[in-house]
Amino acid sequence: MKIRKYPQSCFLIEANNKIVLVDPGMLKFQSEFIDDWCRADMILITHKHSDHINAQVIKDLNIPIYATKEVQDTYPDIKFNIVEDGNNLVFDTLKIEVVKAVHGYNPKLKGKGEVLFNVGYIIDDGKVISYITICTLCFSNDYEAYIVALPVTGYGLTMSSYEASLFAIDLKAKLVLPSHMDNSVYPTDLKYMEKNFKEFNINYKVLDILEDIEV
């Protein structure tokens, strides 16, 4: 499984001759990304916020897009394949489970900004299980994954690196990819992240934009 990082919470995952694009957003978007993104066999969107969905770009890619009904209602001009927690998607030998996520709240989201329906995706190629969960708080679950992409920013909107550490341990994850770190409105406390990951003995890798990792 090969994973490439883009700004904020976007990942391109190549496994079993399939390419999965997760949360291609508007934040720090560069036109050069399109050459990569258009190679995807499917696009997975976790929730409606524009830093997770670049509607102007993906509507022209002619690639199947999977998202919640809340995303469909927010972007009525785009055709989505509606998914919800508990759905299982199968693409030949690649399995993708749609799982629960709980978007946090602070008063800046009051009104149309509040996310009521949020999901994550567990991607299984038969050898490696990766779990991409973005903009979520901690919650009870029975998931397991070898590699997990987690938010670490906090601010009431997502788990902080402290909760992310506990969450990763609960998942029995061997590697954490911190995400949701590119919005200057909600800067990541890197020293706090390093402190927590060291204290909880978390193996992690902060990927640069367009950096790849193979697992």
Side-chain angles (χ1 to χ4, degrees), residues 158-177:
T158 79
M159 62 182 83
S160 72
S161 55
Y162 176 84
E163 292 88 34
S165 298
L166 297 176
F167 199 79
I169 291 169
D170 211 32
L171 294 168
K172 299 181 175 61
K174 303 302 182 184
L175 176 64
V176 170
L177 302 179

Side-chain angles (χ1 to χ4, degrees), residues 132-172:
I132 313 297
T133 184
I134 310 300
C135 280
T136 187
L137 304 173
C138 273
F139 59 90
S140 177
N141 66 83
D142 59 359
Y143 312 145
E144 290 189 13
Y146 182 89
I147 184 169
V148 59
L150 289 173
V152 293
T153 45
Y155 297 94
L157 302 176
T158 79
M159 62 182 83
S160 72
S161 55
Y162 176 84
E163 292 88 34
S165 298
L166 297 176
F167 199 79
I169 291 169
D170 211 32
L171 294 168
K172 299 181 175 61

